Amino acid sequence: MIKILSGHSERGGSTTVFIELTNTFNNLGLDCTFFGPHAYHLDKCKSGNIVDATHETEDIFIVHFLRLKQRPPVKRVVLSCHEKNLFDFSRVKHFWDEAVFINKAHREYHSNYTGPYSIIPNIVARLNKTDKKNVHNIAAVIGT
């Protein structure tokens, strides 16, 4: 099972990304649950409160915005970072197997981190264009 554990699950960019990632994994037949401390994500994907998260030896943890005291006894721990100055890798005790950055500039910002890493961009939700009958002016904000 894939478990996403985040220290922040209220409205925001990283929460939106983890909701989309959870739904994508589940749509592909990979069992994934997003655990966080806030309620915003609970009705948007397979989810739960972080205090209810458990671990099994075959689990894969994707950890975000948490400082764990030690590596959990699971198959793999991936630290997923979307932040820059809010989460300085070089000042966090290493508890993960690999870090994931969202792009090259993000990786360069955290240049003090010398451990294993990958660069994986966020999943972008598809926008569905539909015609709006009898509507002449539409304004929208797209983003997180």
Side-chain angles (χ1 to χ4, degrees), residues 32-110:
C32 181
T33 304
F34 176 19
F35 294 94
H38 306 101
Y40 176 75
H41 70 300
L42 295 176
D43 63 347
K44 295 166 183 58
C45 63
K46 184 177 178 190
S47 57
N49 192 293
I50 197 161
V51 298
D52 298 323
T54 60
H55 67 275
E56 303 295 329
T57 57
E58 290 301 308
D59 286 345
I60 296 171
F61 277 12
I62 299 173
V63 180
H64 169 259
F65 215 63
L66 293 171
R67 297 171 189 257
L68 304 181
K69 294 179 182 178
Q70 61 187 18
R71 186 190 183 285
V74 296
K75 182 177 183 178
R76 185 153 181 77
V77 179
V78 175
L79 178 65
S80 179
C81 179
H82 298 98
E83 291 74 25
K84 288 187 175 179
N85 62 335
L86 294 176
F87 197 88
D88 183 351
F89 276 55
S90 64
R91 297 177 187 229
V92 177
K93 183 182 174 189
H94 195 115
F95 63 84
W96 56 89
D97 301 313
E98 179 181 11
V100 172
F101 299 100
I102 58 173
N103 56 44
K104 184 178 176 186
H106 186 229
R107 167 65 185 121
E108 290 170 356
Y109 181 88
H110 291 284

Side-chain angles (χ1 to χ4, degrees), residues 128-139:
N128 296 321
K129 179 183 173 187
T130 58
D131 291 328
K132 306 291 183 201
K133 296 181 190 265
N134 300 321
V135 176
H136 301 287
N137 297 309
I138 297 175

